[in-house]
């Protein structure tokens, strides 16, 4: 690696990009490190899980009052390293691991491309080109209206970005698997290689325990690749290598055991909040039909046609080289991405967040198209004997300069755009520090995810309500914790009805979405309750909504009525009341008022109110 100047160059470029982001975040001298981390990292929803796992707590409730909770089914493989590093380095771990994992991703991608082209310079150029494409798409989205550019940007950043833990960790597993697959044909034809099989099984196991959709995608791909590589000799190969297959199967089962254990002993309501839905034959047929019909949509047909044309062009005689089989791997990944949802729908008795299958499929198409066009350009230049000048001298350096300029401009724009939010969160953090609200067992009530994380990362341990997918409480307990506090606030029935949009159409109630996540998903495949129990306007929306849109959350009117009746008869438990309250009043609690005089307002910013219970 130290002798590979092109690789070192790309890694240094990646280091520069990450450093620009962090250096800019520290530009304001009074901004705390914790504030910078929360504002500049993505998917902070996972941070409470990282904190819990760092304490080896798999039954987190964030309340000492509850001691009999079941375990949380969480993506262990993608969170394990973050949990260990958090234990060792505290909040510094988020910055350290962003550098480590993203550098690993670039390193693996570089070696995949180098394997195809047998050139470090070409690999470096491709990596820089990926940066250019992502950054250009982000610039375009700031100036043009069509959503297609934003969707392309979102798909690429979903696989090459720094969000924790996906794709920061999961992409390392995914591209590592692809890298080792490149040796697959040689390994199976030259006899059993148990070390190689172990590596494949490990990365499949890591994917299964971090992002199940990528595992299904890669497992289906591996089967397709095996059939393609052996063809008619498959049965004969199986006969002579049954021990080899048994070894692989045994390893895979061992790596899948944590998932089985979590499903058997986890809190059922947690699975519901995560979006797990049971489907019978009728719903399977509906889902399969919907999926197949939507494969005929213009967007898919364009991507599929372009992919087929590029694959045909690459494999025809004028481009036949010893590297073609390597790029064909990515074509098979496209085929796998189309088939894996179908196989999952047919065999699985339950589904969860199936929109991820579509994202994987679109990324497979986009990445193959980018790689194929780059491949064709490379061999076109080679054919005319001019590739030495264009690919071995300075083009990726020139592109890098452009890349750095675009990246700096985008980060500066983001920095200025987030200034008010950064100032407010920083003021909250300084308030916690001034009032010695660090490493306490005091209870906090907040409707804001940033504040929730700020509280926990300051070493505090208790939350009256917490994010739906970071605690192992039953839904009934979560409901009680919320309503118990609201009742102590002296919130009347009228204000509660406004809070839950009683007899009004509402998609994604912010407070309930935080507490119950996907529990109230509503689309043409699944609803939490019978369709007639929903508002008339909502009924129309639900029927028209794609089964892949699990993000649309609608609370049925019968559920709202149940909550109101529960609230009427509720008796307050003092042990579960908050010591401090931090309300984000910029969202659904804009007109929210605490009427109980026991709560004293002690601090205010533009969007936040802080109360202390006397």
């Amino acid at each position: 690696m130290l002798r590979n100047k092109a690789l070192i160059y790309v890694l240094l470029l990646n280091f520069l990009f990450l450093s620009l982001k962090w250096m800019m975040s520290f530009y304001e001298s009074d901004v705390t490190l914790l504030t910078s981390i929360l504002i500049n990292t993505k998917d902070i929803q996972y941070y409470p899980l990282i904190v819990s796992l760092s304490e080896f707590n798999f039954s987190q409730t964030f309340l000492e009052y509850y001691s009999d909770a079941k375990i949380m089914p969480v993506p262990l493989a993608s969170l394990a390293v973050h949990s260990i590093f958090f234990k060792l380095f505290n909040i510094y771990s988020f910055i350290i691991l962003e550098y480590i994992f993203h550098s690993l991703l670039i390193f693996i991608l570089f070696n995949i491309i180098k394997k195809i082209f047998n050139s470090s310079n070409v690999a470096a150029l491709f990596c820089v080109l990926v940066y250019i494409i992502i950054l250009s798409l982000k610039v375009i989205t700031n100036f043009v209206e069509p959503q297609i550019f934003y969707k392309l940007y979102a798909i690429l950043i979903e696989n090459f970005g720094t969000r924790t833990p996906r794709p920061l960790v999961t992409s390392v597993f995914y591209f590592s698997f692809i890298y080792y697959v490149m040796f697959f044909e040689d390994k199976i034809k030259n006899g059993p290689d148990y070390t190689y099989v172990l590596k494949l099984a490990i990365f499949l196991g890591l994917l299964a325990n971090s992002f199940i959709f990528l595992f299904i995608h890669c497992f289906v791909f591996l089967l397709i690749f095996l059939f393609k590589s052996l063809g008619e000799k498959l049965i004969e190969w199986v006969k002579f290598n049954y021990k080899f297959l048994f070894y692989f199967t045994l390893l895979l089962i061992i790596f899948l055991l944590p998932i089985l254990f979590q499903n058997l002993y986890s809190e059922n309501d947690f699975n519901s909040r995560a979006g797990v839905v049971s489907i019978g034959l009728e719903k399977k047929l509906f889902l399969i039909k919907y999926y197949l019909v939507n494969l005929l949509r213009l967007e898919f047909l364009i991507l599929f046609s372009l992919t087929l044309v590029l694959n045909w062009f690459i494999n025809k005689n004028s481009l036949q080289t010893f590297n073609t089989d390597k790029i064909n791997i990515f074509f098979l990944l496209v085929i796998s991405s189309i088939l894996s949802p179908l196989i999952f729908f047919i065999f699985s008795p339950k589904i969860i967040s199936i929109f991820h299958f579509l994202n994987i499929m679109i990324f497979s198409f986009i990445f193959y198209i980018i790689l194929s066009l780059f491949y064709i350009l490379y061999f076109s230049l080679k054919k005319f004997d001019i590739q030495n000048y264009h690919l071995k001298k300075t083009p990726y350096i020139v592109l890098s300069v452009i890349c750095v300029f675009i990246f700096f401009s985008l980060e500066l724009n983001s920095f200025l755009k987030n200034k008010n939010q950064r100032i407010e969160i920083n003021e909250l953090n300084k308030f916690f520090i001034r009032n010695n609200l660090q490493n306490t067992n005091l209870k906090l009530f907040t409707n804001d995810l940033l504040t929730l994380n700020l509280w926990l990362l300051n070493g505090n341990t208790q939350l009256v309500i917490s994010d739906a997918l970071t605690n192992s409480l039953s839904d009934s307990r979560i409901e009680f914790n919320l309503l118990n506090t609201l009742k102590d606030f002296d919130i009347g029935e009228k204000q509660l009805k406004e809070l839950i949009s009683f007899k009004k159409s509402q998609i994604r109630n912010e407070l309930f979405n935080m507490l119950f996540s996907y529990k109230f998903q509503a689309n043409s495949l699944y609803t939490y309750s019978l369709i007639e129990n929903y508002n008339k306007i909502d009924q129309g929306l639900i029927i028209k909504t794609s089964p892949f849109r699990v993000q649309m959350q609608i609370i049925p009117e019968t559920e709202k009525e149940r909550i109101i009746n529960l609230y009427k008869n509720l008796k307050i438990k003092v042990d579960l009341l908050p010591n401090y309250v931090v309300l984000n009043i910029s969202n659904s609690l804009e007109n929210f008022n605490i009427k109980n005089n026991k709560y004293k307002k002690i601090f205010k910013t533009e969007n936040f109110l802080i109360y202390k219970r006397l």
Side-chain angles (χ1 to χ4, degrees), residues 134-287:
I134 292 173
L135 293 174
S136 298
L137 286 170
K138 189 172 183 181
V139 170
I140 292 171
T141 58
N142 291 332
F143 296 100
V144 298
E145 189 64 30
Q147 285 291 304
I148 181 65
F149 296 106
Y150 176 78
K151 289 180 180 178
L152 289 174
Y153 167 76
I155 287 294
L156 289 174
I157 209 69
E158 183 80 11
N159 291 272
F160 293 117
T162 58
R163 190 178 66 185
T164 304
R166 195 183 78 246
L168 185 64
V169 180
T170 53
S171 286
V172 171
F173 299 156
Y174 178 58
F175 283 101
S176 295
F177 171 79
I178 293 174
Y179 176 75
Y180 282 108
V181 162
M182 290 184 154
F183 303 91
F184 188 77
E185 289 185 313
D186 293 335
K187 296 293 182 181
I188 63 172
K189 290 176 182 178
N190 295 332
D193 185 335
Y194 289 96
T195 303
Y196 175 74
V197 170
L198 175 63
K199 292 175 182 177
L200 282 182
I202 286 174
F203 283 111
L204 280 173
L206 289 171
L207 285 171
N209 285 279
S210 58
F211 195 41
I212 192 68
F213 306 96
L214 277 179
F215 165 75
I216 296 168
H217 167 55
C218 290
F219 186 75
V220 171
F221 159 78
L222 202 59
L223 293 177
I224 295 172
F225 199 27
L226 185 64
F227 277 97
K228 181 259 179 188
S229 301
L230 294 173
E232 296 177 354
K233 298 179 180 179
L234 178 62
I235 297 176
E236 182 183 348
W237 184 85
V238 170
K239 287 181 180 178
F240 283 99
N241 294 278
Y242 67 92
K243 291 182 179 178
F244 186 68
L245 288 173
F246 176 77
Y247 174 67
F248 174 76
T249 304
L250 181 62
L251 285 172
L252 206 53
I253 290 172
I254 292 170
F255 289 123
L256 292 175
L257 284 177
I259 298 175
L260 178 62
F261 179 84
Q262 288 186 80
N263 285 327
L264 287 174
Y265 297 101
S266 64
E267 171 57 56
N268 288 330
D269 287 346
F270 186 101
N271 293 324
S272 173
R273 298 196 295 269
V276 177
V277 173
S278 296
I279 54 170
L281 180 60
E282 185 179 348
K283 288 187 176 181
K284 281 178 181 286
L285 293 175
F286 171 81
L287 190 56

Side-chain angles (χ1 to χ4, degrees), residues 427-442:
E427 287 299 312
L428 287 180
N429 193 38
K430 290 194 291 186
F431 172 84
F432 289 160
I433 295 171
R434 284 196 309 269
N435 289 272
N436 297 317
L437 295 176
Q438 294 176 299
N439 304 306
T440 75
N441 285 325
L442 298 174

Side-chain angles (χ1 to χ4, degrees), residues 63-79:
L63 285 166
E64 293 177 349
Y65 184 86
Y66 300 111
S67 58
D68 57 345
K70 296 181 180 180
I71 67 169
M72 300 177 290
V74 296
L76 293 174
S78 57
L79 296 175

